[in-house]
Amino acid sequence: MIREDRAARRIKYIIVGVFTVMMVSILFIVVYLFGRTTFIYQRHFLLRQKWLLMLGCILLGCVCVVMQCTREKQNALSVLSGKNAWIKAVFWLGLLLIQICMSWYAYFLTGWDARYILERAYNTAIDPLRIMENDPYFSQYSNNILVTLLYRFIMMISFCIAGRQLSIEICAYILIVLQCAINTCTGILSTRVARKMTGSQAFSDAIALVYVVFIGISPWVLIPYTDSTGLIIPILMIWIYQSEIRFSSLKGMIIGILGAVGYRLKPQLAIVFIAIVCMESVVSLSRAGLSGWLRRLLPIGLSFALAVGSFYQGVLNEIGVTIDPTRGFGLTHYAMVGINRVTTGTYSPEDVEFSREIEDPQERVRMQIETIRERLHEMGVTGFAELMKKKTLVNYGDGTFAWAIEGEFYRDLLPNKDTVFSPFFKDLLERSSGRFAWLASWMECIWLTLLFGCCMVIVPFRRAMKDGEKQNVLCVILLSIIGLTVFEWIFEARARYLYTYAPFYVLAGMSGLWYTMRAIGRALRRRGMTGST
């Protein structure tokens, strides 16, 4: 193991410390202030947050105890151990098939941005000569161009295979099947990352179980959009980052390209790329100085810049897509939205119309900055703190990641496929139904417990990850969550925006719970041995 200097180790402890303070604050707000605060998109659960947290700690605590006993005794309970690779394959294939079957009985066509992208991809797939030139929507929301082109490409392939034009409903289901596969592959990668990060197969098995009962059953797989399509990118970047090959030029180029793809799909997906660059900067500067830093970061930086700029623009020019850069909504627009006290920093049609009416880009930015200043002045320190509290509740107070919150969510409900499964699953996903209340409460229970585990991440960092490379991976995960949280505090708030990083919360939260349980178990055993003597 290559030793790092004291400064690098100190920076890692600072990252863990900042993350711990942040998660403790978030957990306190969500558990103790949820019922005492009225905020937009507030969801009601079957139990209060503190009882859901206690129940989740019991459930996931039992998972940790059982899996740790399995590891120690090597008994038949270890159904996902490395000796039974075929059982692991059946496990993940089973999840995929269940997701595909449930989606068939329950899926529908939603509204909002996801519907526009679906229709635009479908129409251009039917008529390949039809281009998206001067589309005002893509000029304002240019990050949705790439996912539209991806969906269009998949639909065109489907038309070729089927030998005819398929309906938009069937095309939507094909995209849902793709997202089911992405969801399953994300789970597999999460277990691989967990295994290498901790060196524990039992911990990897526990991650698999928690992933299935939290992310694997998430209904967001039914919505063809960047949230579910981009789910795999953060964990894939982490898996490549921790691969056996040293940080070679090829490895850096792959991470840079993935970072660019993530940025073009959804800006939040680039946060893990930034976290990797920051962590590698700390490590390389401590080990090899400026020259080592250049060797490590040059490939990743160049590949990202080329992919996000010249190559991407070349693809758009080749297929005839043009946008008006003067109509784009910049960061100042989303910062203005994020500081809107009326909407609690969530989507504001008034702010969108305000930015849209100003044609000159420089004047638009100036007016947006002026609006931000006025809103900050009107709120004052107390009002700003209240807004941040409510934005934290909007972002972290819903374990379903704000399912069915977006406008016209159940826009087109399709006919039932049968008289048993379709009515059941549709009712399960209807936000006003009693069955959905049980599902939402279950997901909130797991979510709160993972947040609680994140508060104890210092335990695995100090006890189980003494190797510098393992600490680097954990720090990248923690930095990504810190960056994502700050991003949502500054800009538009939405619980849905956390969904693409849900595997990171599972890894961080379960590592805290897992190694805290191990530490408690060892302490009790030592105490028992001392008492017996």
Side-chain angles (χ1 to χ4, degrees), residues 68-134:
Q68 288 176 18
C69 291
T70 298
R71 179 186 62 85
E72 293 175 357
K73 297 181 180 180
Q74 295 295 314
N75 58 24
L77 292 176
S78 185
V79 296
L80 299 179
S81 67
K83 298 179 181 179
N84 299 299
W86 66 273
I87 296 183
K88 286 199 288 187
V90 171
F91 177 85
W92 291 112
L93 182 60
L95 172 64
L96 175 61
L97 294 178
I98 290 173
Q99 287 179 332
I100 292 175
C101 292
M102 291 178 62
S103 299
W104 172 250
Y105 289 109
Y107 87 101
F108 56 93
L109 300 185
T110 188
W112 52 289
D113 296 77
R115 179 56 175 266
Y116 185 87
I117 289 173
L118 178 67
E119 291 179 346
R120 207 71 175 91
Y122 182 74
N123 292 333
T124 53
I126 291 177
D127 184 6
L129 298 179
R130 190 175 181 176
I131 59 177
M132 296 182 288
E133 185 176 3
N134 296 327

Side-chain angles (χ1 to χ4, degrees), residues 203-442:
F203 177 71
S204 176
D205 296 346
I207 291 294
L209 294 176
V210 175
Y211 181 92
V212 169
V213 300
F214 182 57
I215 304 175
I217 66 170
S218 174
W220 277 109
V221 73
L222 295 174
I223 308 298
Y225 196 52
T226 53
D227 304 291
S228 290
T229 301
L231 178 67
I232 196 172
I233 290 180
I235 197 67
L236 178 59
M237 291 179 69
I238 291 292
W239 179 71
I240 293 173
Y241 175 66
Q242 68 168 182
S243 62
E244 292 292 342
I245 305 174
R246 299 192 63 81
F247 204 83
S248 62
S249 298
L250 178 60
K251 184 174 169 183
M253 290 174 59
I254 295 174
I255 291 176
I257 293 172
L258 283 175
V261 171
Y263 174 75
R264 287 301 183 182
L265 276 177
K266 199 176 196 67
Q268 291 90 332
L269 292 175
I271 293 175
V272 62
F273 168 79
I274 298 173
I276 290 175
V277 170
C278 292
M279 199 67 246
E280 279 303 304
S281 297
V282 171
V283 172
S284 58
L285 287 172
S286 67
R287 292 178 179 176
L290 183 60
S291 60
W293 178 80
L294 288 173
R295 285 196 302 270
R296 281 176 178 259
L297 274 297
L298 195 59
I300 188 172
L302 287 177
S303 60
F304 176 84
L306 291 174
V308 83
S310 302
F311 179 75
Y312 177 75
Q313 189 59 48
V315 172
L316 297 186
N317 294 338
E318 183 67 23
I319 60 179
V321 177
T322 59
I323 59 176
D324 183 2
T326 64
R327 303 304 303 167
F329 287 172
L331 291 178
T332 51
H333 166 79
Y334 294 102
M336 181 181 68
V337 172
I339 210 73
N340 190 329
R341 186 165 50 173
V342 176
T343 60
T344 318
T346 61
Y347 176 79
S348 171
E350 293 78 13
D351 284 344
V352 170
E353 191 62 28
F354 173 82
S355 297
R356 185 180 292 153
E357 288 179 348
I358 305 175
E359 295 185 359
D360 181 66
Q362 296 180 350
E363 178 66 14
R364 185 189 308 133
V365 171
R366 190 188 70 80
M367 292 298 296
Q368 290 166 347
I369 294 175
E370 184 63 27
T371 303
I372 293 172
R373 289 174 178 171
E374 291 177 358
R375 290 176 178 177
L376 287 173
H377 179 73
E378 291 174 359
M379 285 188 294
V381 176
T382 304
F384 181 76
E386 181 69 14
L387 176 63
M388 290 299 103
K389 179 188 74 174
K390 290 184 177 182
K391 289 188 73 173
T392 300
L393 289 169
V394 169
N395 290 326
Y396 280 93
D398 188 353
T400 70
F401 301 103
W403 171 256
I405 293 298
E406 306 294 342
E408 291 187 295
F409 198 80
Y410 302 102
R411 181 170 173 178
D412 291 329
L413 297 178
L414 305 181
N416 289 336
K417 306 299 189 300
D418 64 358
T419 58
V420 178
F421 293 109
S422 276
F424 175 80
F425 288 124
K426 288 182 178 180
D427 185 62
L428 181 66
L429 301 181
E430 169 57 49
R431 64 184 173 192
S432 61
S433 71
R435 288 192 178 100
F436 178 74
W438 283 94
L439 175 63
S441 298
W442 169 259

Side-chain angles (χ1 to χ4, degrees), residues 20 52 64 100 105 109 145 196 222 355 448 451 459 514 526:
T20 302
L52 290 173
C64 292
I100 292 175
Y105 289 109
L109 300 185
I145 294 178
K196 189 161 186 182
L222 295 174
S355 297
L448 291 175
L451 296 182
V459 178
W514 180 270
R526 286 197 299 266

